Amino acid sequence: MLRLDGTGKLPVLDGSQLTGISTTTQFGILPVSYGGTAFTPKQLTSLSAGSTTYLYATAYAAGQASTINCYTLSKGLFKRTTRVATTGFSTNDQQLVATIGSYVYVFGLNAGSPLLKRYDAITLANETTMTVSGTAINAGGMFTNGTDLFINTSAGGTTFTRYTISGTTITSASTITLTGYSVGDPLFSDGTYIYRPFTTSGGGSFLRWAIGGGSSTTVNSLYRSEERRVGK
């Protein structure tokens, strides 16, 4: 039997010692439109800071430059907390995005020329244009292994160059080949494999490459959920 508190509600309970209680799976949902104008997202990336999970997406409306949107995971849903307009990128350009450490990197085109910018994570402040040392970048694809940036460097091809990062400069270090990659497709990596979502055959399956590149294999859909024990 439970005793209600003075407001007629159940009191706060410590559920850490409860057993035999199933967990619930919570999924984050992002809006597909904002302010009545449809936006087209290209690539998502996430960042964990302490106990908080952030999700980043670049998007644009027809005839407009893109924005960076930061969503915070709260009670199982992603709520947009910050939105910043990018500068220097062409209109109707779908930017790629990656997070490393305390920064968000955005890659796109400026009048047909590749452009890479860096923003402070969470606040999306201090927009900075990155300098490229060594192999020139090409607006084809980008992902990270958590430490370095991998950027497509062959126009219409499958070669990606790994760039190390020092301050506001990225420097080419080595290359990998992703056989079967289609230029412009979004990529992400867990540090061991590289994934391209939504293959043309197999519905929601993924193409997967080893982090060192080579031929791809097809894997089933990947789902990431957050489990929370009832009462905690």
Side-chain angles (χ1 to χ4, degrees):
M1 179 178 296
L2 294 175
R3 183 185 300 275
L4 301 180
D5 62 18
T7 64
K9 299 180 180 180
L10 289 174
V12 177
L13 300 176
D14 179 8
S16 61
Q17 303 301 315
L18 298 177
T19 60
I21 298 178
S22 62
T23 58
T24 58
T25 302
Q26 301 178 348
F27 297 91
I29 301 174
L30 290 178
V32 295
S33 63
Y34 174 76
T37 303
F39 278 77
T40 303
K42 176 67 174 178
Q43 188 173 17
L44 303 176
T45 187
S46 62
L47 172 71
S48 294
S51 60
T52 304
T53 298
Y54 300 93
L55 189 69
Y56 299 89
T58 56
Y60 74 92
Q64 298 181 20
S66 71
T67 60
I68 310 176
N69 303 271
C70 175
Y71 300 83
T72 303
L73 181 62
S74 176
K75 298 180 180 179
L77 296 177
F78 284 104
K79 178 182 178 181
R80 191 174 69 186
T81 51
T82 309
R83 177 173 178 256
V84 174
T86 63
T87 62
F89 294 104
S90 302
T91 59
N92 297 337
D93 179 36
Q94 294 179 316
Q95 278 82 56
L96 304 175
V97 60
T99 53
I100 300 177
S102 58
Y103 295 108
V104 179
Y105 295 87
V106 178
F107 180 42
L109 292 174
N110 175 16
S113 298
L115 178 64
L116 178 66
K117 292 202 171 189
R118 187 189 75 180
Y119 301 80
D120 293 346
I122 306 175
T123 63
L124 300 180
N126 296 318
E127 180 184 67
T128 303
T129 299
M130 300 293 293
T131 300
V132 180
S133 176
T135 305
I137 58 179
N138 187 65
M142 179 179 73
F143 66 94
T144 177
N145 61 0
T147 302
D148 303 322
L149 285 174
F150 289 73
I151 302 177
N152 183 261
T153 50
S154 57
T158 58
T159 300
F160 281 74
T161 297
R162 178 176 64 86
Y163 291 88
T164 59
I165 304 172
S166 177
T168 59
T169 299
I170 64 171
T171 303
S172 55
S174 59
T175 61
I176 63 172
T177 299
L178 301 184
T179 304
Y181 171 74
S182 297
V183 173
D185 286 344
L187 295 168
F188 66 93
S189 174
D190 59 6
T192 302
Y193 294 103
I194 305 160
Y195 299 91
R196 190 206 83 177
F198 309 124
T199 60
T200 55
S201 61
S205 59
F206 286 70
L207 285 185
R208 184 182 72 182
W209 295 265
I211 194 66
S215 299
S216 64
T217 58
T218 301
V219 296
N220 293 329
S221 297
L222 305 176
Y223 296 94
R224 180 175 180 180
S225 61
E226 178 179 337
E227 293 186 346
R228 298 191 181 187
R229 186 172 296 277
V230 175
K232 291 189 69 176

